[in-house]
Amino acid sequence: MTSPAARVPVPSRTVWTSAVVLFVIGVVLHAVAVDQRTLWYDESATVIGAGRSFAQLGELVRHVDLVHAAYYALMHLWFDVVGSSAFTIRLPSAVAAAAAAALMVPLGARLVSVRVGVLSGAVLLVLPATAFGATNGRSGMCQVLAAVAASTVLVVVLDRVRDTTAGLGRIWLPSAAYVVVAALAIALQLWFVFVVVAHAVVAVLVLGARGRPPVARLAPVATAFVVLAVATLPFALAASHQSAQVSWLRAPDVTGVLTTLWRDESFSVGLVERSAVGASVTASVGWVLAAVGGARLFRRHREGFWSVALWWAVPPVGLLLVSAAGSPAFSARYLVFCVPAFALLMAVGIDTVLGDPLDRVPRAGAQAVPRPSWLGRVAVCALALVLVAGGAQAWVLVRWGTPTTQDWKTVAETISAGRRPADRSALVYGELGRTGFQLGVDYPEALRGVDDLTFGGSEQPSDALWPVARDPEEAVAAVGDHDVVWYVGSSGASLRGVTEELHERHFRGDDRTRFRGGIVIEFRRISSD
């Protein structure tokens, strides 16, 4: 944070008008075609968790997904209003991404300048990590929004502590707001505690930089962090007993850590096939801009540097310590709330080469910074265009790219298009990489009137997300007088068994559609004559 006395006042109308414009652009950008990519495993979990009553949800999170309880509860309220579909599942993430970009404007304005705030919001909107998170029905973009909001509130708190004209009430109020925002963020993702740790270190550095303020003015800040620590401990202890659900994570090696921090955290998109070359090129450009921005902040806005650098650096260090303690937790998906900090560094880098008017305002003991050369401006514009191109490619891929998981959308469209009005249709699942129960959860309209012989009649477990499936042969035995049986599974042993059973019941399967993760076959009953 720069000293209040060193800032050039900027009309609040300019800040908030810019924020509103970025929000509108962000909503339009990320809500368009948000439902095009198939829903994936964790999004199905969102639908199942949020689709339960609050009592049922309470029972569920006693056993699994406690760390997602707050998100499920919020989505439950949202689904009560708009219903569940691929669009409504992802729309909150798109709006949260836009809101986070908008809040970057007042944050950047307080840390450096309004232009840095606008640039950082724009950079956040075009980053591949944002493009992916905004099309993902999980809490990632809500975490990003909470991180930006908490950081903004913290800046307000620390400025008021150092402003001797501000009364204690004007310090306690934003301190309480910080507790509320940070507590909600921790409820959305436990590892947000490391952002709070970073904020605590920033508070110590900033408030001690120019002499310690009176204890009465420090009390609201200290109280906020103590309250958060006390409130978080029971939640953390309860969540630690459910670590088996992330047993797929492995302890990171040095290469994995460096790749995650350099590329995957901000510049990669998950769940779709993508060349690593494009992400690596975009990441290289981003790091050049961030390095320039970090150097500029360190020289001329030291407090702003620590505010941003610690926000970006402390959470990965914290996750590495947790992993070293025996609970692997280092993953790009758990570092999404650090992405805005990196966007700020890149924005400052762009602003440095363009020439920040604030840096040309002489301050005590400082010389005005000359305007950059035209060559420097051309270079930064070229880098910015590469950044935008990488973001545009990611925007397209997360909508229409080839999925790396089961493509349930193709399955749903195949069944919906192949059905005849008079058919009595049934559905049988074979071997799949993920539970076929996802299909009915994700695309219920496409399967309306189709009897699920694999999961149909199974009781939804109160202590788990997914019901137990029947064996394919057992499911086929219940085919009864259905005219059509749709097989969804692999082309392995389960298909051979199902085919034999259906042939005995006078079904023949001719129409086959391959999808990512398996095959769809329409078995139609033929005359036994």
Side-chain angles (χ1 to χ4, degrees):
M1 269 147 272
T2 54
S3 167
R7 292 199 189 102
V8 176
V10 177
S12 59
R13 179 178 297 179
T14 301
V15 171
W16 292 109
T17 299
S18 301
V20 169
V21 170
L22 265 182
F23 175 75
V24 173
I25 292 173
V27 169
V28 172
L29 177 67
H30 288 301
V32 168
V34 74
D35 56 349
Q36 291 303 298
R37 190 184 73 248
T38 185
L39 292 170
W40 70 299
Y41 188 74
D42 281 8
E43 290 178 299
S44 302
T46 295
V47 178
I48 294 173
R52 300 191 179 199
S53 68
F54 285 120
Q56 292 170 331
L57 179 57
E59 176 62 22
L60 173 69
V61 299
R62 287 181 56 242
H63 303 277
V64 296
D65 271 4
L66 176 62
V67 292
H68 300 300
Y71 181 68
Y72 290 162
L74 292 173
M75 291 299 285
H76 176 93
L77 298 174
W78 171 244
F79 290 160
D80 279 348
V81 176
V82 300
S84 172
S85 68
F87 181 79
T88 59
I89 291 166
R90 291 170 173 166
L91 182 59
S93 295
V95 174
L103 274 183
M104 294 288 277
V105 180
L107 176 59
R110 282 184 170 273
L111 289 174
V112 186
S113 70
V114 175
R115 192 165 73 184
V116 164
V118 174
L119 285 171
S120 62
V123 170
L124 182 61
L125 283 180
V126 303
L127 282 178
T130 305
F132 170 64
T135 58
N136 189 6
R138 296 299 274 178
S139 65
M141 283 299 105
C142 295
Q143 297 171 38
V144 169
L145 173 59
V148 178
S151 299
T152 304
V153 175
L154 180 70
V155 172
V156 173
V157 171
L158 299 183
D159 279 352
R160 290 185 180 179
V161 169
R162 295 191 302 174
D163 182 1
T164 56
T165 64
L168 290 179
R170 298 186 68 234
I171 302 174
W172 278 103
L173 185 60
S175 297
Y178 178 82
V179 171
V180 171
V181 173
L184 178 58
I186 292 170
L188 290 172
Q189 174 50 262
L190 175 61
W191 302 130
F192 194 91
V193 295
F194 293 122
V195 176
V196 176
V197 171
H199 286 167
V201 176
V202 168
V204 171
L205 291 174
V206 170
L207 296 180
R210 294 181 176 84
R212 191 179 68 184
V215 173
R217 302 183 71 80
L218 293 175
V221 183
T223 300
F225 288 115
V226 170
V227 168
L228 283 169
V230 171
T232 300
L233 184 59
F235 179 56
L237 292 175
S240 67
H241 295 297
Q242 297 181 2
S243 58
Q245 65 195 67
V246 290
S247 58
W248 54 273
L249 286 171
R250 296 290 180 264
D253 56 20
V254 174
T255 301
V257 170
L258 294 178
T259 301
T260 296
L261 297 178
W262 168 63
R263 184 189 66 198
D264 295 347
E265 179 184 313
S266 298
F267 300 99
S268 287
V269 294
L271 309 180
V272 294
E273 293 182 357
R274 184 188 186 188
S275 169
V277 174
S280 298
V281 170
T282 309
S284 300
V285 168
W287 273 96
V288 169
L289 294 172
V292 173
R296 182 264 187 103
L297 278 178
F298 188 79
R299 289 195 311 269
R300 303 187 62 80
H301 305 274
R302 188 68 55 87
E303 293 173 3
F305 171 81
W306 290 119
S307 299
V308 178
L310 289 172
W311 175 4
W312 180 83
V314 169
V317 171
L319 291 182
L320 286 174
L321 292 175
V322 170
S323 299
S327 298
F330 191 86
S331 170
R333 71 167 65 181
Y334 297 148
L335 293 172
V336 66
F337 40 64
C338 299
V339 173
F342 201 71
L344 266 165
L345 290 175
M346 286 186 280
V348 176
I350 295 171
D351 186 73
T352 298
V353 182
L354 293 179
D356 183 1
L358 284 183
D359 276 346
R360 294 197 299 275
V361 176
R363 303 185 183 120
Q367 294 182 345
V369 177
R371 291 181 180 273
S373 67
W374 67 269
L375 185 60
R377 295 189 178 192
V378 169
V380 78
C381 286
L383 293 177
L385 285 175
V386 173
L387 197 65
V388 171
Q393 182 194 36
W395 188 93
V396 172
L397 282 174
V398 297
R399 286 162 172 78
W400 297 286
T402 301
T404 58
T405 59
Q406 270 78 20
D407 187 0
W408 298 121
K409 186 171 185 285
T410 295
V411 177
E413 291 172 347
T414 299
I415 294 176
S416 180
R419 292 168 61 191
R420 302 173 187 173
D423 287 343
R424 292 195 69 246
S425 301
L427 180 64
V428 172
Y429 293 101
E431 296 167 348
L432 289 162
R434 293 287 193 179
T435 173
F437 190 69
Q438 287 180 255
L439 177 60
V441 168
D442 296 345
Y443 300 98
E445 290 301 319
L447 301 184
R448 190 175 299 281
V450 178
D451 297 325
D452 187 341
L453 303 183
T454 302
F455 295 99
S458 301
E459 289 188 9
Q460 186 76 8
S462 62
D463 59 351
L465 289 166
W466 312 103
V468 178
R470 289 179 178 178
D471 290 333
E473 291 79 6
E474 183 182 354
V476 172
V479 70
D481 59 353
H482 289 92
D483 306 306
V484 176
V485 175
W486 294 92
Y487 170 85
V488 178
S490 70
S491 55
S494 63
L495 174 57
R496 290 193 295 271
V498 167
T499 301
E500 291 173 2
E501 292 288 338
L502 288 175
H503 279 180
E504 291 181 5
R505 290 167 172 79
H506 310 292
F507 284 86
R508 293 294 181 268
D510 296 319
D511 293 336
R512 299 178 175 226
T513 301
R514 293 197 174 274
F515 66 96
R516 177 66 186 224
I519 189 171
V520 183
I521 304 177
E522 178 188 6
F523 287 89
R524 185 167 291 275
R525 189 187 295 274
I526 60 176
S527 174
S528 59
D529 296 336

